[in-house]
Amino acid sequence: MAEILVLYYSRGGSVARLARQIARGIGEVEGVSARLRTVPPVAAVTQSAAPPVPEDGAPYVEARDLVECAGLALGSPTRFGNMAAPVKHWLDGLVGEWASGTLVGKPAAVFTSTATMHGGQESTLLTMMVPLLHHGCVLMGIPYTEPALSTTRSGGTPYGASHVAGNDDDPQPTDEEAQLARALGRRLAALVAKVSA
């Protein structure tokens, strides 16, 4: 069975919940499954080593996850219109994978969460796409044939799935945000199924 790596960094839980919705969409396509992994946090000063396994949630990503995956969904919260530092740090460490072509030809998609409607969702999604293009991934988004993309009053863009947490930092996606995340997962899985056939 082909596996799609659903890889994310989540601090408040919003991106993790979007990742699970994307994984649900992936699971709706026959012959494809999701492998949930998270990016470890980074700190400017380290006083003690982080545990090798997170206390809760998905396990940390390993090099073999990239080798074994047939596709990739990458998620990050937005930090000033850009991906969060842990995701950027992880991507910057993939020189060996870039040189060996580990991700070349693999379908990929991106997702994010912001605190506000104008917090930089689309710019964050675009910044995550750029390194994936350098790795040779085949990028996809959400087309307007998905009805929720035209009716959403919060997250959801043609560049990828997204969530607006709001002033209360609510990690739960709205119904439309969840629909769009599952749709992105299904689209990614359908392309993986075709490429892997």
Side-chain angles (χ1 to χ4, degrees):
M1 179 175 290
E3 277 191 313
I4 294 174
L5 177 60
V6 181
L7 178 62
Y8 64 91
Y9 174 72
S10 186
R11 190 127 178 221
S14 298
V15 178
R17 289 188 187 204
L18 273 181
R20 288 193 288 276
Q21 291 295 329
I22 290 169
R24 279 183 58 191
I26 290 167
E28 294 173 14
V29 176
E30 188 175 335
V32 185
S33 65
R35 180 187 297 193
L36 283 166
R37 295 291 185 268
T38 189
V39 174
V42 295
V45 177
T46 304
Q47 295 190 11
S48 63
V53 177
E55 291 181 19
D56 59 8
Y60 290 135
V61 65
E62 298 177 5
R64 69 181 177 87
D65 293 316
L66 288 176
V67 172
E68 294 171 357
C69 76
L72 171 66
L74 180 63
S76 172
T78 295
R79 297 291 185 264
F80 303 107
N82 206 328
M83 69 186 97
V87 178
K88 179 73 166 84
H89 179 74
W90 177 78
L91 284 166
D92 287 347
L94 297 181
V95 175
E97 288 77 7
W98 169 77
S100 63
T102 301
L103 293 173
V104 170
K106 293 184 180 183
V110 292
F111 57 103
T112 192
S113 178
T114 57
T116 65
M117 281 293 290
H118 305 290
Q121 289 188 357
E122 291 181 344
S123 61
T124 298
L125 295 170
L126 291 169
T127 65
M128 287 193 294
M129 288 179 183
V130 173
L132 298 180
L133 287 168
H134 279 265
H135 278 275
C137 290
V138 178
L139 292 172
M140 64 171 18
I142 303 172
Y144 279 94
T145 53
E146 290 296 332
L149 196 57
S150 296
T151 60
T152 182
R153 295 279 183 231
S154 55
T157 81
Y159 306 107
S162 63
H163 167 65
V164 178
N167 292 334
D168 297 330
D169 200 24
D170 183 1
Q172 186 62 42
T174 66
D175 288 344
E176 287 172 325
E177 290 170 342
Q179 286 173 25
L180 291 167
R182 287 192 304 273
L184 183 62
R186 281 191 305 274
R187 285 178 48 76
L188 187 56
L191 182 55
V192 164
K194 287 178 185 175
V195 170
S196 300

